[in-house]
Amino acid sequence: MDDPAGAEAPHHGYSHAKDAHLKRLRRIEGQVRGLQRMVDEDQYCIDVLTQVSAATKALQQVALGLLEEHLSHCVVDAARRGGPEAEEKVREASAAIARLVRS
Amino acid sequence: MDDPAGAEAPHHGYSHAKDAHLKRLRRIEGQVRGLQRMVDEDQYCIDVLTQVSAATKALQQVALGLLEEHLSHCVVDAARRGGPEAEEKVREASAAIARLVRS
Amino acid sequence: MDDPAGAEAPHHGYSHAKDAHLKRLRRIEGQVRGLQRMVDEDQYCIDVLTQVSAATKALQQVALGLLEEHLSHCVVDAARRGGPEAEEKVREASAAIARLVRS
Amino acid sequence: MDDPAGAEAPHHGYSHAKDAHLKRLRRIEGQVRGLQRMVDEDQYCIDVLTQVSAATKALQQVALGLLEEHLSHCVVDAARRGGPEAEEKVREASAAIARLVRS
């Protein structure tokens, strides 16, 4: 999607797979709405918990995909350009991995 | 919410905290829609990943709340009634905990 | 194992499965020593990481077993005895589950 | 540590931090032995569970350190050398991250 000023949208690792990510995220939105219905209808706790785990796994899948694309584009490109930028990209990616592991 | 046939809705551990759970789930729905906007606007991968971890943690919070309520109502009540039902409730809860730990 | 003073050792949910837990923990000890050897021998990072994940999963398995036994004995027994003790046992178990989910 | 045949030991991302990793792993070995003592002495389930979570977190810390070093050395160096090797290193790292997230 281009910027309003017509400048070309910034290109990131996931840009080529944008539609696939958006599709997954819309499905997860549907799962979360489904959870609201289950709670509203007083469905059994364990059944609600099963769906919470499913939505959590789906979010994780999105994160792992974004991370692989970030490594293979943003980090690899920065490494090829040389200089300190690659080190910063690795630091950022490692902090994101730590957040993911702990969430 | 009562069944259409007017019969009283089944009562579960989380029923007394239903509004709080629904409020959290609506917020998570908003977070997932926010993720769609970030991806659609080609925002930086690491920023999107940070928000995915936040949404994952929020889902985990819902799960931990539901689990505590299930233990303190459904499992404790079944234990007090005696008989094999408590064992089944514990088995179910343990399987839900395992799914949560691995998601 | 009885106390030195001959008093009977306190009985917990996992007491009947003590040997199985000790066996698993000794195996995990061996896995951690194996990790030390891999690092000492400069083995490839990814291979070391694979074994770290295996040891982490093994620890999780021990935790899930201990938790199920705690629920089906300590929590259920406290519930059957009635009074506020069950609520405290559930609170403790829920805090342990939260630590497990976030580790 | 050099190979017996005197050839220089292969150099990986973590080689410069080997002693720190070995120190952490020896501490984790001690934690796992401590868990064995707790179980052997019939200590309270929740206390054992608390220590299992601590050992799991310590293992995670080792993994996150190894991963950052792998990214900043093995992946960045492969990217600088150009060619398909970088893609394979990223694929391997992403699979290791997925295992870590799911363990």
Side-chain angles (χ1 to χ4, degrees):
Chain A
M1 198 195 75
D2 287 349
D3 285 335
E8 208 206 314
H11 204 82
H12 298 303
Y14 65 83
S15 300
H16 70 287
K18 223 165 114 168
D19 292 341
H21 287 302
L22 286 172
K23 196 173 156 197
R24 278 204 193 105
L25 288 169
R26 278 192 291 269
R27 200 181 308 136
I28 294 169
E29 185 189 337
Q31 284 178 284
V32 176
R33 268 206 300 276
L35 283 167
Q36 291 168 34
R37 263 194 316 278
M38 291 180 86
V39 168
D40 197 44
E41 292 165 3
D42 284 287
Q43 292 194 27
Y44 186 43
C45 329
I46 297 291
D47 298 334
V48 182
L49 278 164
T50 302
Q51 293 311 313
V52 171
S53 290
T56 306
K57 264 204 189 294
L59 269 175
Q60 242 176 30
Q61 211 50 42
V62 170
L64 291 171
L66 288 170
L67 201 52
E68 180 153 10
E69 285 146 1
H70 176 69
L71 292 177
S72 58
H73 293 85
C74 309
V75 173
V76 165
D77 295 349
R80 285 184 178 142
R81 284 193 294 269
E85 197 203 340
E87 209 53 44
E88 172 54 15
K89 292 282 186 206
V90 165
R91 195 201 55 71
E92 269 184 343
S94 301
I97 294 164
R99 279 192 298 273
L100 200 57
V101 166
R102 290 191 193 109
S103 60
Chain B
M1 198 194 75
D2 287 348
D3 287 333
E8 209 207 312
H11 204 82
H12 297 302
Y14 64 84
S15 299
H16 70 288
K18 221 165 118 169
D19 293 341
H21 287 301
L22 287 172
K23 196 174 155 197
R24 277 205 193 106
L25 287 169
R26 278 192 290 270
R27 199 182 307 138
I28 295 169
E29 185 189 339
Q31 285 177 284
V32 176
R33 267 206 299 277
L35 283 167
Q36 290 168 36
R37 261 193 317 278
M38 291 181 85
V39 167
D40 197 44
E41 292 165 4
D42 283 288
Q43 290 193 27
Y44 185 43
C45 328
I46 297 291
D47 298 334
V48 182
L49 278 165
T50 302
Q51 293 311 315
V52 171
S53 290
T56 305
K57 264 202 191 291
L59 269 174
Q60 243 175 27
Q61 211 52 40
V62 170
L64 291 171
L66 287 170
L67 201 53
E68 181 153 9
E69 285 147 2
H70 177 69
L71 293 177
S72 57
H73 293 84
C74 309
V75 173
V76 164
D77 293 349
R80 287 185 175 141
R81 283 193 295 267
E85 198 202 341
E87 209 52 42
E88 173 54 15
K89 292 280 185 206
V90 166
R91 194 200 55 72
E92 267 184 344
S94 301
I97 295 164
R99 277 191 300 271
L100 199 58
V101 167
R102 290 194 191 109
S103 61
Chain C
M1 198 195 77
D2 288 349
D3 286 335
E8 210 207 313
H11 204 81
H12 297 301
Y14 64 83
S15 299
H16 69 288
K18 221 166 118 170
D19 293 340
H21 287 301
L22 287 172
K23 197 173 155 198
R24 277 205 194 105
L25 287 168
R26 278 192 292 268
R27 200 181 307 138
I28 294 169
E29 185 188 338
Q31 285 177 283
V32 176
R33 267 206 299 277
L35 283 167
Q36 290 168 33
R37 262 194 316 277
M38 292 180 85
V39 168
D40 198 43
E41 292 165 2
D42 283 288
Q43 291 194 28
Y44 186 43
C45 329
I46 297 290
D47 297 334
V48 182
L49 278 164
T50 302
Q51 292 312 314
V52 171
S53 290
T56 305
K57 264 203 191 287
L59 269 175
Q60 244 176 28
Q61 210 51 40
V62 170
L64 290 171
L66 288 171
L67 201 52
E68 181 154 8
E69 286 147 1
H70 177 69
L71 293 177
S72 57
H73 292 85
C74 309
V75 173
V76 165
D77 294 347
R80 284 185 179 144
R81 284 193 294 269
E85 198 202 342
E87 209 52 44
E88 173 54 16
K89 292 282 186 207
V90 165
R91 195 200 55 71
E92 267 182 345
S94 301
I97 294 163
R99 278 191 299 273
L100 199 58
V101 166
R102 289 190 193 111
S103 59
Chain D
M1 198 194 76
D2 287 351
D3 287 335
E8 210 208 312
H11 204 82
H12 297 302
Y14 65 84
S15 299
H16 70 288
K18 221 164 118 169
D19 292 340
H21 288 302
L22 286 172
K23 195 174 156 196
R24 278 204 193 105
L25 287 169
R26 278 192 291 269
R27 199 181 309 136
I28 294 169
E29 185 189 338
Q31 284 178 285
V32 176
R33 268 207 298 277
L35 282 167
Q36 290 168 35
R37 264 193 316 277
M38 292 180 86
V39 168
D40 198 44
E41 293 165 2
D42 282 289
Q43 292 194 26
Y44 186 43
C45 329
I46 297 291
D47 298 333
V48 182
L49 278 164
T50 302
Q51 292 311 315
V52 171
S53 289
T56 306
K57 265 203 191 292
L59 270 174
Q60 241 175 30
Q61 211 50 40
V62 170
L64 290 171
L66 288 170
L67 201 53
E68 180 153 10
E69 285 146 2
H70 177 69
L71 293 177
S72 57
H73 293 85
C74 310
V75 173
V76 165
D77 294 348
R80 285 184 178 145
R81 283 192 294 269
E85 197 203 343
E87 209 53 43
E88 171 56 14
K89 292 282 186 206
V90 166
R91 195 200 55 71
E92 267 183 345
S94 301
I97 295 164
R99 278 191 299 272
L100 199 57
V101 167
R102 290 193 193 107
S103 60

